[in-house]
């Protein structure tokens, strides 16, 4: 694995070509699963975990790492009703960063895909249907010597994702729904 210190020392503000290149775009979707709860609690960064059976389109095409793209949450959900409800702004196509892998800092046993949507939500939304389009790669997963440096890098990832999406061939993916309005399946 690449040295975390070497990598962290120079982070480019924008990544990827001006036009998404294969294997991107990669589309993933499924009902949001409950994760370890660490994202919000330890890192101040909530993540929506995709179900294991939704990962094949990306695990077959690319490696573990941090990615950027867009996400859309649906009002359709499985399981118990949530406490609050999502409004129109929460249901739009929104920018996201995604971590794919085994979180070396935490040493998970299995690969997960966790999506952090760059938006302030009024409530959590476990069980809701989530669709994402992954448009590019930001960096490899790193092991960290402190939680603070992981938090700092996630904040950098968010800026890099926003800069990278702010190019016409990327932004156009935010102009049409990722979720088919008729039915999620
Ligand atoms: N976990 C790691 O162990 N190493 C990483 O480099 C790493 N980068 C992340 C980048 C982003 C944008 C996000 C949302 C998560 C990242 N994580 C990383 C995963 C993090 O450990 C995980 O979301 C929490 O532990 C909650 O499961
Ligand atoms: Mg999560």
């Amino acid at each position: 694995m690449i040295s975390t210190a070497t990598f962290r020392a120079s982070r480019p503000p924008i990544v990827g070509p001006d036009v998404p290149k294969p294997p991107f775009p990669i589309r993933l979707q499924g009902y949001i699963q409950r994760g370890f709860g660490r994202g919000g609690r330890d890192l101040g960064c909530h993540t929506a975990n995709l179900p294991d059976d939704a990962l094949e389109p990306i695990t077959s095409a690319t490696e573990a790492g941090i990615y950027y793209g867009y996400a859309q949450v649906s009002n359709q959900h499985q399981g118990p009703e949530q406490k609050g409800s999502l409004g129109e702004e929460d249901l739009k196509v929104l920018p996201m960063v995604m971590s794919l892998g085994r979180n070396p800092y935490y040493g998970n046993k299995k690969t997960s895909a966790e999506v952090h949507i760059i938006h302030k939500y009024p409530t959590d939304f476990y069980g809701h249907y989530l669709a994402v389009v992954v448009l590019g790669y930001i960096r490899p997963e790193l092991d960290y010597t402190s939680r603070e440096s992981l938090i700092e890098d996630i904040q950098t990832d968010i800026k890099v994702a926003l800069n990278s999406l702010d190019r016409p061939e990327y932004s156009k993916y935010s102009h049409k729904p990722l979720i088919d309005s008729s039915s999620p399946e």
Side-chain angles (χ1 to χ4, degrees):
M1 194 182 300
I2 180 171
S3 144
T4 300
T6 307
F7 188 88
R8 298 191 74 232
S10 70
R11 296 281 314 262
I14 185 162
V15 293
D18 285 347
V19 178
K21 267 207 335 240
F24 308 109
I26 297 172
R27 293 178 186 273
L28 305 172
Q29 47 203 304
Y31 290 95
I32 297 167
Q33 309 293 302
R34 218 167 255 281
F36 296 105
R38 292 184 308 229
R41 196 184 56 230
D42 287 6
L43 305 174
C45 169
H46 287 277
T47 61
N49 296 35
L50 282 162
D52 295 343
D53 65 8
L55 306 190
E56 197 274 337
I58 190 157
T59 52
S60 65
T62 181
E63 59 198 80
I66 315 306
Y67 293 85
Y68 65 96
Y70 290 103
Q72 188 174 25
V73 175
S74 161
N75 247 337
Q76 294 247 20
H77 62 87
Q78 234 177 21
E81 193 71 57
Q82 299 295 312
K83 304 173 281 287
S85 78
L86 299 175
E88 202 186 319
E89 291 301 309
D90 309 316
L91 301 170
K92 288 186 167 164
V93 178
L94 296 162
M96 66 84 179
V97 282
M98 184 180 90
S99 157
L100 175 72
R102 291 165 51 172
N103 304 174
Y105 179 65
Y106 291 99
N108 295 349
K109 287 208 173 65
K110 62 172 198 187
T111 290
S112 63
E114 303 177 82
V115 180
H116 171 71
I117 305 175
I118 307 168
H119 177 72
K120 192 118 191 70
Y121 286 95
T123 174
D124 61 35
F125 42 85
Y126 294 114
H128 281 246
Y129 199 74
L130 170 71
V132 310
V133 59
V134 184
L135 296 173
Y137 173 82
I138 301 181
R139 64 171 173 92
E141 282 198 296
L142 301 171
D143 197 357
Y144 286 88
T145 49
S146 76
R147 191 170 59 104
E148 287 67 31
S149 51
L150 172 55
I151 292 172
E152 203 175 285
D153 280 9
I154 292 176
Q155 294 310 312
T156 303
D157 296 329
I158 291 172
K159 292 184 196 138
V160 170
L162 292 173
N163 292 337
S164 302
L165 291 169
D166 192 19
R167 293 177 287 188
E169 292 299 316
Y170 288 87
S171 329
K172 71 180 193 192
Y173 286 90
S174 68
H175 300 155
K176 65 170 196 265
L178 300 179
I179 293 176
D180 187 336
S181 54
S182 52
S183 126
E185 273 164 331

